[in-house]
Amino acid sequence: MLAFTLVAAVTAATTGALTFREARTGVLQQSQDAVIQQLRAQVGRLAPDVVFPPGQGEVGRLAADVARADPSGSWRVLVTYGDLSATSVQGDPFQELTPALRGSVESSMATVFQRVAVGDRTALVVGMSVTFAEPPAKGVYASGIHVFLTVPQTTERAYVDALVSAAERAAVPALTLAVLLALLAARGVLRPVRALRRATRSIAEGHLDTRLAVDGSDELADLSHTFNETAAALEKSVAELRGLEARARRFAADVSHELRTPLAAMSAVTDVLDEDAAGLDPDTATAVRLISEETVKLARLVDDLMEISRFDAGAAVPHLDEIDLAESLRRTLDARAWTGLVDADLPAPAALRGLVDPRRLDVVVANLVGNALRHGARPVALRLYEAGEAGGARVAVIEVLDSGPGIPDDVLPYVFERFYKSDAARTRTEGSGLGLAITAENVRVHGGTVRAANRPEGGAVFTVRLPLPADEPPREDQW
């Protein structure tokens, strides 16, 4: 739009300027030719009656007679002969006459002219020599009489001003029309571009069935057609991927469900074998204990797979209840006999309450503390406190810290991925590789966040931030 408008403005200005220049030149040329022709005719008519050599009176009479050639009385004439000079207007200084023009008239017999600006006025000054013909030789010689004429160009200036006004009046509508045409052209080009932008945004938002209307056969129509083909191919590919993903989730869920029944029977058998292991020979007892441990691990893996399948299927709905968060964390430690192994820094009873799913919060804390005890080093600390965020929001912060070697920097971005294990991060691999992934999913369904990092003094720290109800004002003793 700006470029189009600029080109239109420059074109209109250039065209107007050229037209003005040509018209101005034509007006001035016509006026100049008419004045020179009229002056020559008048001087040619009066010259034969001039007494030669002329006196002062004769010079003055010639000036007055030449001036009378203009009916409007706008001519002012100066006649010189040697040291004699006279003007058609008494006392006229004839200031428009320049030394250059006077010198040109005195040095040649040609008629010369010059446009002179005096103040805010412009005048045409014409100078010529009065010549006589010499019959015997049929030649022409200068008489020494010089006639100078000045004519104000008021009428010509009015014509020029009228041309400027006309050019301005014509340029404004032309420029307006150019801008309107630019708007129409830009609209015609930008309408399909805007439609393409909206369609692209709709595709990005997940509406893969978005298509563009294809009109015409220009480049934009080709682009719209290509976009539709791309969107159709993308929709087909995503549909196939979603189908594969759904079948994979259903397969994992079905397998986990089918394994629960035989695992329950195996667990019952291993429990009986564990009770009788003391009466068996050492090799058999070791084998029985190994089978029992692996059965427990397999049962835990099946439970984790079932939990992950519920998250993938969108069936993991939290059952929220307002509870004492510190008391919930204490029960998690007591239920697993971790009270003596973990340094708990918790608020006083009923000091910090939150709207959470107690079972899922228990899973989050148990997974993080168990991970710190297995893969870190003591002392392991559990902290709970309230913090504020931008906008006045309140969050409950749960931190689990250990004093182990920490997590390698190349492992940190992947610790919450499913089945991810690193020999550098985990010295043992009893876990299923799903504990931290389940933790992240449980935190997410609460609208919170979980983050893993390394402490400057050594060891890893896992930080969980859970939103708190907004209607309860923060207590001063918690800060």
Side-chain angles (χ1 to χ4, degrees):
M1 274 295 299
L2 291 176
F4 196 99
T5 304
L6 181 61
V7 169
V10 171
T11 303
T14 304
T15 304
L18 292 175
T19 304
F20 167 76
R21 189 184 68 177
E22 294 300 323
R24 177 179 178 273
T25 302
V27 169
L28 295 178
Q29 184 70 38
Q30 183 180 3
S31 172
Q32 162 196 309
D33 293 346
V35 169
I36 293 175
Q37 184 178 3
Q38 189 175 2
L39 176 62
R40 284 177 173 175
Q42 183 72 351
V43 172
R45 185 177 63 82
L46 297 175
D49 299 331
V50 175
V51 177
F52 192 83
Q56 182 65 37
E58 189 68 15
V59 170
R61 183 181 61 82
L62 179 61
D65 290 342
V66 173
R68 279 193 291 268
D70 180 31
S72 65
S74 61
W75 281 18
R76 292 166 38 232
V77 180
L78 169 67
V79 177
T80 64
Y81 178 76
D83 295 333
L84 302 178
S85 66
T87 59
S88 60
V89 178
Q90 189 68 27
D92 187 353
F94 221 87
Q95 57 184 354
E96 292 88 353
L97 181 60
T98 63
L101 189 140
R102 182 189 289 270
S104 297
V105 172
E106 292 177 351
S107 61
S108 68
M109 291 185 293
T111 302
V112 296
F113 65 91
Q114 184 179 25
R115 294 187 186 93
V116 180
V118 180
D120 59 347
R121 296 180 297 105
T122 303
L124 174 66
V125 182
V126 182
M128 64 177 296
S129 297
V130 178
T131 60
F132 292 104
E134 188 175 358
K138 296 184 180 180
V140 177
Y141 68 94
S143 64
I145 302 173
H146 302 143
V147 179
F148 300 95
L149 167 66
T150 177
V151 181
Q153 294 192 305
T154 306
T155 303
E156 289 78 4
R157 182 165 184 174
Y159 288 157
V160 171
D161 292 341
L163 286 174
V164 173
S165 299
E168 291 177 349
R169 288 193 300 270
V172 172
L175 186 58
T176 303
L177 179 61
V179 172
L180 291 177
L181 292 176
L183 285 172
L184 293 176
R187 184 180 178 185
V189 173
L190 293 180
R191 187 188 301 112
V193 174
R194 292 192 183 102
L196 178 61
R197 181 183 62 186
R198 289 193 296 269
T200 304
R201 186 176 299 166
S202 179
I203 290 286
E205 293 173 354
H207 305 291
L208 301 182
D209 57 344
T210 303
R211 297 294 184 272
L212 289 172
V214 180
D215 298 323
S217 58
D218 55 6
E219 290 81 359
L220 291 173
D222 292 340
L223 179 61
S224 300
H225 183 70
T226 303
F227 174 87
N228 290 340
E229 292 179 345
T230 304
L234 179 62
E235 183 180 18
K236 181 180 178 181
S237 299
V238 171
E240 293 176 353
L241 291 175
R242 286 174 177 171
L244 292 174
E245 184 181 4
R247 289 193 292 272
R249 287 199 303 265
R250 186 166 55 250
F251 175 78
D254 292 343
V255 169
S256 301
H257 180 74
E258 293 297 329
L259 287 176
R260 297 189 74 176
T261 300
L263 279 175
M266 292 173 61
S267 297
V269 172
T270 55
D271 289 342
V272 174
L273 292 176
D274 281 339
E275 293 177 358
D276 297 337
L280 301 174
D281 62 88
D283 292 339
T284 304
T286 300
V288 166
R289 294 189 182 94
L290 179 60
I291 292 174
S292 178
E293 291 175 0
E294 294 302 322
T295 301
V296 172
K297 292 179 184 178
L298 183 58
R300 186 183 303 119
L301 174 60
V302 170
D303 290 339
D304 289 344
L305 286 174
M306 291 292 293
E307 185 73 6
I308 285 293
S309 298
R310 282 191 288 270
F311 283 119
D312 290 341
V317 180
H319 301 284
L320 303 178
D321 189 15
E322 187 174 351
I323 63 172
D324 182 353
L325 298 180
E327 182 61 28
S328 177
L329 268 59
R330 290 189 184 94
R331 285 198 298 267
T332 299
L333 298 179
D334 292 340
R336 293 163 178 79
W338 288 342
T339 304
L341 301 177
V342 178
D343 299 331
D345 182 9
L346 306 176
L352 184 57
R353 301 181 65 84
L355 193 64
V356 298
D357 185 330
R359 184 186 71 83
R360 296 186 184 279
L361 179 61
D362 176 77
V363 172
V364 169
V365 177
N367 282 343
L368 293 180
V369 174
N371 188 72
L373 291 173
R374 286 193 302 270
H375 307 301
R378 298 181 62 185
V380 174
L382 174 64
R383 297 176 183 171
L384 172 65
Y385 58 91
E386 180 182 342
E389 292 200 340
R394 301 166 52 239
V395 294
V397 181
I398 302 172
E399 290 182 344
V400 177
L401 310 93
D402 65 59
S403 303
I407 305 173
D409 293 337
D410 59 337
V411 175
L412 275 175
Y414 311 105
V415 293
F416 294 106
E417 291 188 1
R418 300 174 184 181
F419 298 108
Y420 184 82
K421 294 184 179 182
S422 172
D423 293 337
R426 300 180 181 181
T427 56
R428 304 190 307 173
T429 58
E430 310 92 349
S432 63
L434 294 173
L436 290 179
I438 293 174
T439 297
E441 293 289 348
N442 279 314
V443 172
R444 183 184 59 80
V445 298
H446 283 89
T449 60
V450 59
R451 186 174 65 91
N454 289 315
R455 303 165 60 195
E457 60 271 24
V461 55
F462 287 82
T463 304
V464 176
R465 303 175 75 87
L466 299 175
L468 292 174
D471 55 353
E472 180 182 353
R475 297 175 175 84
E476 294 183 0
D477 58 353
Q478 297 173 8
W479 295 87

